[in-house]
Amino acid sequence: MTLDRLGALLDRLLARARGQAMRRTLHEYLAMLGRGEYARLRALLLGWSARTHLDAQLAAWAVHSAWLDIPTIPPQDALNLLSERSLRFGQDVVARVAAHYGTGEGGRLDPRLYVRLIADVAVRRGWEEGASEAAREAEAQWKTWVRVYPVRAPRDWHARLEGATIPADRKFVLPGGPNRGREVMAPHDWDRLPDPREWVNCGHAVIYTPAAQWKDLRR
């Protein structure tokens, strides 16, 4: 799969996440938010965000199966692990939304924008985690920081990492920007770097490979 095709795949996942399910979620989200029905709101967001994240994980696994010599569909133990990760992601989303809006005083972001951001993070982070699990299954040793979209929000410190290949269990070090020196496992590493300036409209992803050439290594 070329990187352009990878970007197209992520676009399809985003379109699905932002499609009818998101519109229904957003409609109910706004209504529940207005009525202060936070328990129902949490359940709604948990289900939608976890499903979006799991779809992206499964897509990443299937794509990597083409060159990692693993089954296209994860075996049951791996599927259970992916499902658990998606549930944790959904719970994280719920906690963040509760912190942002749960006081009843509203938040800084328009709820419509916030839901779109959740969809974006769910797909990008789901991709990375699904790819990582596929690599673990295949015992792939390397990962590469790649561009999959044209530049949308220029970040020269992200661009400087393009093509950088490191051991799969190592972290990339951001060479510049507002979080220079911070370590991330991949682009859109929400846990290690929650600053949205690093991941909103980021056009990068990681791919895992069983081998690497010396010239590609970033040490």
Side-chain angles (χ1 to χ4, degrees):
M1 170 175 286
T2 66
L3 299 187
D4 287 345
R5 289 179 62 193
L6 175 52
L9 171 62
L10 292 174
D11 276 341
R12 289 195 297 273
L13 289 169
L14 278 169
R16 185 188 309 166
R18 293 173 175 172
Q20 183 177 0
M22 193 195 85
R23 289 192 295 272
R24 183 175 63 252
T25 298
L26 180 58
H27 175 76
E28 296 178 13
Y29 173 91
L30 292 171
M32 292 176 189
L33 192 63
R35 295 192 297 265
E37 297 175 351
Y38 298 119
R40 292 184 61 200
L41 177 60
R42 286 193 291 270
L44 173 75
L45 287 174
L46 176 61
W48 169 69
S49 58
R51 179 71 251 179
T52 300
H53 183 271
L54 182 58
D55 284 348
Q57 287 196 98
L58 294 175
W61 177 290
V63 167
H64 279 77
S65 72
W67 62 79
L68 291 184
D69 194 26
I70 56 175
T72 304
I73 299 175
Q76 191 60 51
D77 59 339
L79 183 58
N80 290 342
L81 180 58
L82 296 179
S83 298
E84 290 171 6
R85 285 181 175 176
S86 293
L87 177 60
R88 288 198 299 271
F89 175 80
Q91 292 168 338
D92 188 24
V93 165
V94 167
R96 289 169 185 263
V97 170
H100 197 72
Y101 296 105
T103 62
E105 299 174 356
R108 295 183 302 276
L109 286 177
D110 184 306
R112 296 168 184 82
L113 175 60
Y114 204 83
V115 170
R116 288 181 65 86
L117 285 175
I118 291 171
D120 186 83
V121 173
V123 168
R124 309 301 176 87
R125 178 168 161 178
W127 168 271
E128 195 284 324
E129 293 189 351
S132 174
E133 184 58 24
R136 188 196 65 79
E137 180 77 11
E139 299 183 353
Q141 301 297 312
W142 305 96
K143 63 183 176 185
T144 302
W145 183 291
V146 297
R147 174 170 291 285
V148 295
Y149 289 113
V151 176
R152 298 177 181 176
R155 299 177 178 93
D156 65 325
W157 61 97
H158 283 202
R160 281 151 59 189
L161 287 172
E162 288 175 18
T165 299
I166 62 175
D169 60 352
R170 294 270 300 277
K171 299 181 182 69
F172 295 98
V173 179
L174 297 179
N179 297 286
R180 180 179 181 179
R182 295 288 296 274
E183 297 182 337
V184 295
M185 292 301 293
H188 314 100
D189 191 342
W190 195 3
D191 286 333
R192 291 177 179 82
L193 194 56
D195 185 348
R197 291 175 296 177
E198 295 290 358
W199 45 261
V200 171
N201 289 325
C202 174
H204 294 94
V206 290
I207 57 173
Y208 290 80
T209 55
Q213 298 183 32
W214 179 254
K215 66 182 179 63
D216 295 327
L217 300 187
R218 176 69 62 89
R219 291 169 293 165

